[in-house]
Amino acid sequence: MEKQLLTMAQIAKQLNLAESTARFYRNRFENYIPSVGEGRKKRYKQETIEVLRFIAEGFNRNLTAMDIEDGLSRMVARNIEIEKETAITTAATQQQPENELKQYTLQLQIALEQISATMQIVADQKEEIAELRKHIADVESKLEERDPKLIESIRELQETKKEIAATQQKKWWQLWK
């Protein structure tokens, strides 16, 4: 028996989200939303509920869209649409000389290799950023354990700086009155 397909309105209702919010999430992270069909006939697989829940929770925790996308890339396979071959595309292909097709194929292959290399660089950078964030968190926790009075003093200085900046801003505005 085939799993039931859902509309975006049904999914939004299950997640207690506004339909417009669910659609925004779907549009923003379209490559990770499992769906069937096209246009107004597009329906969504049950897994879409968990994907949208993950996205909503990420935004609720004040994660950036890039952080959410990073999590989705580990959680869900990306959707890639391939253009269906039609009589028009077949005829157009047959009319092109073989040299042009070979040239386009070569260009496409080079582009795909560049994309692959770029994606690897991005993945390596994301991993490095995660390691750096972990290192910073470790250093901060060690500092707090080591000298809590120093940390408290730094926080008090930061608050005082904010207060001073606020009073200076008020004085600046008073000059324009």
Side-chain angles (χ1 to χ4, degrees), residues 82-97:
I82 299 174
E83 184 179 319
K84 294 180 182 176
E85 189 171 308
T86 63
I88 294 171
T89 57
T90 304
T93 304
Q94 289 172 349
Q95 290 176 357
Q96 292 178 341

Side-chain angles (χ1 to χ4, degrees), residues 123-174:
D124 292 344
Q125 288 175 344
K126 284 182 179 181
E127 188 176 316
E128 186 178 345
I129 289 170
E131 289 173 7
L132 288 171
R133 284 180 178 163
K134 184 180 179 211
H135 179 71
I136 290 171
D138 291 344
V139 169
E140 285 178 346
S141 67
K142 287 178 184 175
L143 280 175
E144 286 179 0
E145 291 172 7
R146 196 180 204 185
D147 199 353
K149 289 182 182 179
L150 177 64
I151 299 298
E152 184 59 35
S153 297
I154 290 172
R155 288 188 180 133
E156 288 175 7
L157 286 171
Q158 289 172 336
E159 288 298 318
T160 305
K161 182 181 174 184
K162 287 179 185 175
E163 291 172 7
I164 290 171
T167 57
Q168 287 178 347
Q169 191 175 29
K170 288 179 185 175
K171 291 179 182 176
W172 182 82
W173 285 108
Q174 290 174 350

Side-chain angles (χ1 to χ4, degrees), residues 10-147:
Q10 291 169 325
I11 293 172
K13 188 174 183 180
Q14 285 187 23
L15 293 173
N16 274 345
L17 288 175
E19 189 176 343
S20 60
T21 303
R23 290 185 187 283
F24 170 76
Y25 293 160
R26 178 210 51 203
N27 294 341
R28 176 62 180 85
F29 301 99
E30 186 175 16
N31 290 336
Y32 300 98
I33 307 296
S35 62
V36 175
E38 295 180 18
R40 295 181 65 84
K41 294 181 182 180
K42 187 178 261 190
R43 297 293 180 259
Y44 302 92
K45 298 179 181 180
Q46 291 288 331
E47 304 91 71
T48 303
I49 296 171
E50 291 307 313
V51 173
L52 289 177
R53 180 176 285 125
F54 178 82
I55 294 167
E57 288 173 359
F59 278 120
N60 286 339
R61 291 184 302 164
N62 294 325
L63 295 178
T64 65
M66 288 186 70
D67 291 335
I68 294 170
E69 191 165 350
D70 186 40
L72 286 172
S73 68
R74 294 184 188 133
M75 183 175 115
V76 193
R78 289 182 68 141
N79 298 327
I80 299 175
E81 292 187 21
I82 299 174
E83 184 179 319
K84 294 180 182 176
E85 189 171 308
T86 63
I88 294 171
T89 57
T90 304
T93 304
Q94 289 172 349
Q95 290 176 357
Q96 292 178 341
E98 282 188 39
N99 293 357
E100 287 183 41
L101 285 177
K102 286 180 183 177
Q103 185 179 9
Y104 291 139
T105 303
L106 181 61
Q107 288 175 348
L108 180 61
Q109 185 178 8
I110 291 169
L112 289 173
E113 288 172 0
Q114 290 173 343
I115 289 170
S116 177
T118 303
M119 288 177 66
Q120 184 60 46
I121 291 169
V122 169
D124 292 344
Q125 288 175 344
K126 284 182 179 181
E127 188 176 316
E128 186 178 345
I129 289 170
E131 289 173 7
L132 288 171
R133 284 180 178 163
K134 184 180 179 211
H135 179 71
I136 290 171
D138 291 344
V139 169
E140 285 178 346
S141 67
K142 287 178 184 175
L143 280 175
E144 286 179 0
E145 291 172 7
R146 196 180 204 185
D147 199 353

